[in-house]
Amino acid sequence: LDDLSDVLATTKAARKGELTPSGEEQRDVAVVMKDLIIHPIQIAEAVERGADGVLLMANVVGQQLEELMNAATIMGTEAIVEVHTPNECQHALELGASIIMVNNWDRADGS
C-alpha cells in the first residue's frame, strides 16, 4: 500500500486543477487499488489511503465476491469486478456489479 500512497500524492495536484508541466489543465483522476483483495480489511485500508475504487477478481474471490462488493459499497468506494469468462460476468452482474473489467488473458495457459 505504500505505492498507493505515492500514487495519491502524485495525483493530488490533478484533483486541485493545477497545470501539467506542458501547461494543460489537469483532469480529475480516479485511483484504483489493484491488488489480490480477499478480505474486507484490505478494502478498508485502500479507502483509508484515499483510493476511489478497488479491483475484485471474480476468479480469485469466488463466493466472497458479493461480500467484498458489499463491503466496498458500505465503505464508500467503487468495486471494479474483473472477469475472464461470460459466466463470471453474468454472476457479477447478478450480484449487482456496476463496473466490469473484462480480461481476456487466460491464467491457465498464459495466453
Side-chain angles (χ1 to χ4, degrees):
L1 287 176
D2 290 336
D3 290 342
L4 179 59
S5 297
D6 293 342
V7 168
L8 287 167
T10 302
T11 60
K12 198 172 201 177
R15 291 184 172 169
K16 292 181 179 178
E18 295 177 4
L19 300 180
T20 66
S22 62
E24 299 172 5
E25 186 174 327
Q26 293 277 5
R27 297 177 296 150
D28 282 345
V29 176
V31 176
V32 176
M33 180 179 151
K34 181 183 181 218
D35 203 348
L36 287 176
I37 296 176
I38 58 171
H39 195 279
I41 195 72
Q42 293 173 283
I43 298 170
E45 288 178 294
V47 170
E48 182 179 321
R49 293 181 185 255
D52 300 301
V54 293
L55 182 67
L56 304 176
M57 296 177 222
N59 66 334
V60 172
V61 300
Q63 296 302 315
Q64 290 181 288
L65 181 58
E66 184 173 24
E67 174 190 358
L68 294 171
M69 287 172 50
N70 289 338
T73 300
I74 290 167
M75 293 181 211
T77 195
E78 294 291 333
I80 297 99
V81 181
E82 178 181 320
V83 299
H84 292 87
T85 67
N87 287 342
E88 286 178 355
C89 184
Q90 183 63 38
H91 180 65
L93 291 170
E94 288 170 357
L95 294 177
S98 59
I99 304 174
I100 302 286
M101 183 179 95
V102 177
N103 186 336
N104 287 325
W105 181 63
D106 187 338
R107 293 180 186 270
D109 67 12
S111 64

